[in-house]
Amino acid sequence: MKKSQLIRTLGLVVFIISSSVLAHGITQSQVEQAIATAEKLLIQSAQVDHQWSTAEPLIKQAKKALQLKQYENAYSFAQKASQQSTLALKQADTEQANWALNLPK
Amino acid sequence: MKIFLNPFVFIALIAVTVNVMATPEEDKKTFQQFYSERFSNIDLDEFSNGVYALDKDARSQWEAMSDFPPYEDALEEGEELFNTPFENGNHYASCFQNDGQNIRQNYPLFDTQRNTVVTLELAINECRIHNNEQPLPYKKGDIAKISAYMASTSEGSATNVSIPDTKEALSAYQAGKQFFYTKHGQLNFSCANCHVQYAGRKARSETLSTALGQTTHFPVYRLKWEALGTLHRRFDSCLINIRATPLEAQSETYKNLEYFLSYMSNGLPINGPASRK
């Protein structure tokens, strides 16, 4: 295969993949899944008294976008919500070991 | 494991371990000593005045207001509510020691039957339920007024929170202590970061009060709330500020936090209700 041919073939592959993603984008069920995950993480963070107030509004925004069938938006909000709660859980975890460093000396 | 061989790390670890395992009494001593060393010109009792013990300018404004304190009407209503009989003819007084007079300083207490912390507001609602009345909402309104009245009958009495020598009481205290020193919220702050380490410094335009004395004057009339609010309502505000979701009023965690904080202020005079910004 010549170099130019290779580039053309690769370009075609990239074009096909990207256009299929754009055409189908994120599906409704992917969004629903992402929201379910975000909600699960939110509850987990609350169970250890570490819920961040930034997470729930993002879930609300995700649900609103889902209703409007704006799946990309909805998905991205849900993922951000999950990120916040994942960080909150991580905070709970590290603090379990580190809280005593804040004691007055 | 090499890190443990480093003598400095080893000593630091021991120091931390000692504080983690310290008895409540030892904790209280270290805690109060920390503030009296940092603010050596301030009498211990003065810490009951919160931020106004530290910030002279704010204090003169506050004192000017104290001739006609904004909680005056609410306090009177609280007294009336306290003395109004329930439908069954009983009074709040029947639920409390000494008819509910001059007892604020003993709260929160630890109930060794149920193994849980009982705050004054919880006791007020349990009194209502016991007398077939609906419980009141916990953060503001009538419960804050009744609590304010009861606090006023303890004016000047020294905070006297006790921790029974049981595993459960100690672990409630420990849980409150751990929450206080644990970082929360997206901003990753612990209560101690602001009210221990940064006490006396400014956060935005506000001077940060010492955690010592924070419980002596509740419920508080906040100008921002335009009403009296309970201590748990105030916990909410601080958690919201660091982008943490507040907890339920009277949740185990808040009760334990109140238990720890109040114990740290043992010996300081009760001076509630009070007004704050």
Side-chain angles (χ1 to χ4, degrees):
Chain A
M1 215 189 273
K2 274 193 213 154
K3 205 175 175 186
S4 61
Q5 254 181 326
L6 178 70
I7 289 172
R8 235 176 288 155
T9 319
L10 272 179
L12 192 65
V13 170
V14 169
F15 174 72
I16 289 169
I17 290 175
S18 62
S19 59
S20 75
V21 167
L22 282 181
H24 299 287
I26 305 268
T27 65
Q28 179 178 345
S29 84
Q30 278 174 306
V31 172
E32 284 163 356
Q33 191 73 57
I35 291 176
T37 303
E39 282 182 326
K40 204 178 87 194
L41 290 166
L42 185 78
I43 290 170
Q44 280 175 7
S45 67
Q47 278 166 347
V48 290
D49 288 334
H50 268 267
Q51 193 176 318
W52 287 10
S53 60
T54 45
E56 207 168 15
L58 288 164
I59 294 178
K60 284 201 180 123
Q61 280 179 294
K63 286 182 172 170
K64 208 164 149 196
L66 171 63
Q67 263 182 359
L68 298 171
K69 298 199 188 321
Q70 298 170 352
Y71 298 137
E72 269 86 15
N73 261 342
Y75 189 79
S76 139
F77 282 132
Q79 280 209 314
K80 280 186 190 141
S82 285
Q83 261 169 22
Q84 293 294 293
S85 295
T86 304
L87 288 170
L89 284 165
K90 205 170 151 201
Q91 178 185 55
D93 214 41
T94 37
E95 283 302 291
Q96 201 63 35
N98 288 343
W99 66 271
L101 300 174
N102 286 323
L103 285 165
K105 293 179 188 79
Chain B
M1 283 313 277
K2 222 174 182 174
I3 190 167
F4 289 105
L5 299 178
N6 180 326
F8 293 108
V9 171
F10 191 67
I11 289 167
L13 272 176
I14 289 182
V16 168
T17 318
V18 165
N19 277 346
V20 173
M21 305 302 283
T23 65
E25 199 48 33
E26 288 164 344
D27 280 345
K28 191 200 78 183
K29 228 176 124 191
T30 316
F31 196 84
Q32 298 195 353
Q33 202 173 340
F34 171 86
Y35 292 111
S36 46
E37 278 169 16
R38 172 163 318 174
F39 304 103
S40 54
N41 55 335
I42 297 174
D43 286 345
L44 207 59
D45 285 1
E46 255 303 305
F47 290 108
S48 283
N49 287 321
V51 68
Y52 306 116
L54 311 176
D55 185 332
K56 284 213 178 77
D57 294 341
R59 183 168 187 126
S60 54
Q61 286 174 21
W62 178 65
E63 280 179 344
M65 196 165 64
S66 65
D67 291 340
F68 301 100
Y71 51 76
E72 216 168 13
D73 293 345
L75 184 57
E76 261 171 44
E77 274 178 67
E79 178 169 10
E80 235 176 84
L81 286 164
F82 184 85
N83 290 320
T84 307
F86 302 124
E87 247 177 61
N88 66 8
N90 287 344
H91 289 78
Y92 282 106
S94 67
C95 299
F96 294 94
Q97 283 195 331
N98 199 31
D99 291 338
Q101 304 295 301
N102 195 16
I103 58 163
R104 160 79 261 189
Q105 64 277 16
N106 305 324
Y107 282 84
L109 43 85
F110 193 84
D111 181 336
T112 48
Q113 305 276 304
R114 291 183 288 164
N115 283 325
T116 196
V117 171
V118 179
T119 63
L120 184 58
E121 287 80 15
L122 182 61
I124 290 170
N125 259 349
E126 287 183 342
C127 178
R128 293 180 60 84
I129 293 164
H130 185 71
N131 286 288
N132 306 316
E133 301 281 335
Q134 290 293 318
L136 300 166
Y138 274 117
K139 290 184 185 168
K140 54 184 171 183
D142 285 355
I143 207 157
K145 294 174 188 168
I146 296 165
S147 172
Y149 165 66
M150 291 179 78
S152 73
T153 69
S154 281
E155 174 86 47
S157 295
T159 305
N160 183 30
V161 172
S162 70
I163 300 175
D165 194 12
T166 69
K167 200 175 89 229
E168 291 83 4
L170 270 174
S171 83
Y173 166 86
Q174 275 293 340
K177 173 179 166 183
Q178 184 167 345
F179 189 90
F180 181 81
Y181 291 106
T182 292
K183 292 178 191 287
H184 286 94
Q186 195 199 40
L187 300 188
N188 203 35
F189 271 99
S190 71
C191 312
N193 287 149
C194 283
H195 294 297
V196 179
Q197 281 96 20
Y198 291 130
R201 301 206 210 147
K202 295 249 177 183
R204 300 209 191 116
S205 63
E206 286 194 87
T207 304
L208 291 161
S209 60
T210 60
L212 178 60
Q214 265 182 346
T215 54
T216 60
H217 48 271
F218 271 82
V220 151
Y221 185 103
R222 271 187 89 186
L223 300 180
K224 187 175 166 187
W225 294 335
E226 297 184 338
L228 283 173
T230 57
L231 184 61
H232 292 194
R233 186 177 180 199
R234 181 67 242 206
F235 290 167
D236 282 2
S237 310
C238 282
L239 284 173
I240 290 167
N241 281 341
I242 52 174
R243 301 196 190 137
T245 304
L247 309 178
E248 291 285 319
Q250 305 300 322
S251 58
E252 288 301 305
T253 304
Y254 268 2
K255 286 195 301 173
N256 294 341
L257 175 61
E258 178 174 348
Y259 196 38
F260 164 75
L261 261 185
S262 306
Y263 191 87
M264 290 300 101
S265 288
N266 261 354
L268 269 62
I270 297 291
N271 57 345
S275 65
R276 292 288 184 273
K277 266 201 269 184

